Every structure is written in C-alpha cells, then in structure tokens.
Amino acid sequence: MRTPLLLAACGASLGVSLGVAHAASLLDAPGWPPIPGHTLSICLLAVGVCAVVAAWRRRRGAMPRDYGFDPRTLNAPDVTRWMNFGLWDRPHMIFPEACAALATRVQDAAGIKDGDCVVDMGCGYFESGVSLCQRFPRVHVCGLEVCDGVVAAARSRVKEARLCHRASVHPGSALHPPFPDCTADAVTAVDCAYHFTPRPLFLQQAARILRPGGRLSFTDFYLNQKTHSPFLPAVCWMIGGSITHTRADFVQMLTDCGFCDIQCTPITQSVIPGFAQHVRDRARQAPLTFLPFVMVSWVLQWISCDAEYALITARKVQVEEGSIPGECNGRPTDGQQSS
C-alpha cells in the first residue's frame, strides 16, 4: 500500500474517533477524559492503525521521497512552499506570513549575525533559509533535509533566489548531519525537532557542529508531566513524531550535551489555535483537499492537553582551550550541490 493511502486510512480512523469524542463534548475537559463505549472501540482501532503505520515505516528504514502532498495547497494563493504550523501573533495573517513569523522567531532567538554560518536542520523546501539570506546579506546557510525529492525542490529554490554562492541544501538526517565539528555559529530547527528520535542524539549532533559559544534554537513539544494519556504515542505517530520528554528533561539533556543559558518558552497559544483555524477556514472552501489537515489540527489540539509547544534555545559552553576553530563556506561536505 502506498504511503498516502496508508496514512489516509490511519487519519480517517483517528479523525472519526476524535469527531465522535468532540461531538460528545468529551474534549472540553481540561485533560484527556475517559472515553466510554463505542467511542473507545473507535479509538482503539485508530491506535492499532497508527501502530501498523509506525512499524511499517520503521521496517522501511527510510523516509518517503517527499511529504505525500504539495505544500502549495496550504500556501495558496501564494506560490511559496512554507511547511510549519506558523506563529499567529497578529490578526488577519495568511499562512505564509505566519510560517515566516515562526521561522524569524526561531532565527532571532539564535542570535544570528550577518556573516554567520547557520545550519538549518529539517529545512524542508528552504523557505526559511531564503528568508534568512534576504534578511542578512552576508550570512551562509546550510540546509539539511531527509527527503530526496524535497532536497531537489529546495535546491531549485536556492537557484531561483540566486543564493548559490552562500546557501546550499544537503541530503541527510539531523541525527547524522554531514558537517564537520565546530563549523556552525548557529543551528536552527523550525517545527521539525519532534521528528528527530532519539532526541538526545539530535542535541549531541547540534553540539558537535556548533562552535564554542554558538547557539541552538528550535521548536519542539515537551510534556507537562511524566504521566499522560496512553493514546499520546499513537497520536504522535500521526504527525510522524514522538513526545516523551518534559521541560526538565530537555534542560538536563542540553546540559549533558554541553549547553548553557537554556530557555524553554511556551508558545502553544500563538501557534496551534491559529493553524487549526486556518485549516478549518480553508476546509470550508475545499473540504476534500483540506480534510487531512483538519485531522492534523485535531491531533495537535489533542496533544496540547498533555504537552506544550515551545521555543527552546541554548548556548554551547565557551571552551578556552582545545577548541577547533573550524571554517564554514556554505558548501556541502558530502558532495557538490548541483549547479
């Protein structure tokens, strides 16, 4: 079965269960409520399908060539390919504006200066990288993306923006980034870190490629408490991620990786409701096209009962002796970008 069809079956099952629960006003409770009777049966069906999807994806051992849909669906009428939940901090924002606002928030939190070398993990179609290059005319951005088809599209975006002299896109995983030690002034990950499992390995790799004093800035979910609904892992699989750490866990993991000045800033209310409203508004115009995104918005609202969506920043400890100065020229280290 092809990936979109399998995910559609999974999404339909979970969407029905959430719809029934919502119709019964069960989601109005402050936490994850007990779900009785036939609704529980539907939820268990959803959990089972999610488990099959997760096992199948792990067995494949690779991500699909692309995300299974054209992101321009969300961006229309704009022709950009932004791919994040957005930061909806102003009234009457459209999707590309909200996505750009979230990327800018993450980049600003990294303290990026003109002339810096920035590694953007999970760069997607490189819209955030283009935005950063436009804001800083001498910055170098190295994007990293796991889906081959998206890498090709992102490289086309770099050419289109005429940024080949100071921007590049590399195929690879954030768990094994193809960059030398101590080469980046900043590492960012906009709305993708919850896909990086195990999370400590991502943090270790970010610390490895950062220069001493460099900054890490990313968005992720953290649990409000260790105890959570048994449905949470299955729901997280719906968005291809995992949420297993509390705020204290993140602080400890970052400290163990050699970071200091750690900050975890919850931004849930500026992100999830705005994205959910956007896809609901679009679904009124094209119900079949936007039904999967509506189900994703339900999933996010359900996750928000147990977790916070947060901006997490940290600085790599400055080492006075034994550090490797490194050098970044904005070019791939594991093969040349096509020209």
Side-chain angles (χ1 to χ4, degrees):
M1 185 180 293
R2 296 179 62 186
T3 303
L5 295 178
L6 194 57
L7 290 179
C10 178
S13 298
L14 187 56
V16 169
S17 68
L18 288 175
V20 172
H22 182 73
S25 299
L26 292 176
L27 294 183
D28 292 337
W32 288 54
I35 305 177
H38 60 279
T39 308
L40 177 59
S41 300
I42 296 173
C43 287
L44 290 175
L45 174 62
V47 171
V49 175
C50 286
V52 170
V53 172
W56 178 75
R57 289 177 66 183
R58 288 196 183 98
R59 185 171 181 178
R60 284 188 64 193
M63 291 293 290
R65 177 170 171 77
D66 54 32
Y67 300 141
F69 68 94
D70 190 340
R72 287 173 291 193
T73 302
L74 283 170
N75 287 257
D78 207 20
V79 295
T80 53
R81 292 185 178 183
W82 283 102
M83 279 284 297
N84 65 59
F85 296 140
L87 184 69
W88 306 83
D89 56 355
R90 302 190 314 273
H92 311 300
M93 295 182 76
I94 61 174
F95 185 72
E97 291 175 342
C99 291
L102 183 60
T104 299
R105 179 78 177 270
V106 172
Q107 293 161 355
D108 288 349
I112 296 170
K113 305 181 299 297
D114 211 4
D116 280 353
C117 172
V118 180
V119 171
D120 187 19
M121 302 284 200
C123 68
Y125 292 89
F126 208 67
E127 294 292 352
S128 58
V130 170
S131 174
L132 182 61
C133 287
Q134 291 172 342
R135 293 172 58 210
F136 297 97
R138 290 184 293 112
V139 78
H140 288 261
V141 184
C142 301
L144 187 67
E145 171 56 45
V146 74
C147 297
D148 291 341
V150 178
V151 170
R155 287 177 170 173
S156 296
R157 183 73 176 98
V158 171
K159 293 178 187 177
E160 175 188 306
R162 299 182 178 180
L163 293 171
C164 293
H165 59 294
R166 57 191 183 95
S168 59
V169 180
H170 309 240
S173 165
L175 304 179
H176 306 285
F179 305 114
D181 297 355
C182 303
T183 53
D185 299 293
V187 171
T188 61
V190 181
D191 191 32
C192 56
Y194 47 84
H195 298 302
F196 304 155
T197 303
R199 208 79 88 253
L201 181 55
F202 157 61
L203 301 178
Q204 291 166 10
Q205 289 297 318
R208 178 184 66 79
I209 64 179
L210 276 170
R211 293 185 176 120
R215 292 190 64 83
L216 169 65
S217 179
F218 63 100
T219 56
D220 203 345
F221 290 94
Y222 65 72
L223 294 171
N224 293 322
Q225 54 187 2
K226 276 295 186 183
T227 57
H228 54 76
S229 166
F231 293 106
L232 183 62
V235 172
C236 292
W237 281 332
M238 280 294 298
I239 59 172
S242 66
I243 305 172
T244 57
H245 303 291
T246 64
R247 181 185 184 281
D249 292 336
F250 271 105
V251 172
Q252 187 60 57
M253 288 187 297
L254 286 162
T255 301
D256 292 343
C257 291
F259 287 99
C260 62
D261 298 339
I262 300 164
Q263 295 185 352
C264 301
T265 306
I267 56 174
T268 306
Q269 295 308 309
S270 297
V271 175
I272 305 304
F275 176 78
Q277 186 62 52
H278 170 71
V279 296
R280 283 197 297 265
D281 290 343
R282 296 300 299 272
R284 294 190 184 98
Q285 305 167 8
L288 292 179
T289 300
F290 282 90
L291 179 60
F293 301 111
V294 172
M295 289 190 291
V296 169
S297 73
W298 288 347
V299 168
L300 293 174
Q301 290 172 306
W302 205 356
I303 289 174
S304 299
C305 294
D306 273 335
E308 288 282 358
Y309 188 80
L311 173 62
I312 302 175
T313 60
R315 181 174 61 84
K316 184 176 178 179
V317 173
Q318 183 74 45
V319 180
E320 297 298 331
E321 296 181 0
S323 64
I324 304 173
E327 182 177 348
C328 176
N329 59 11
R331 292 293 175 187
T333 58
D334 60 338
Q336 291 297 315
Q337 177 179 334
S338 57
S339 58

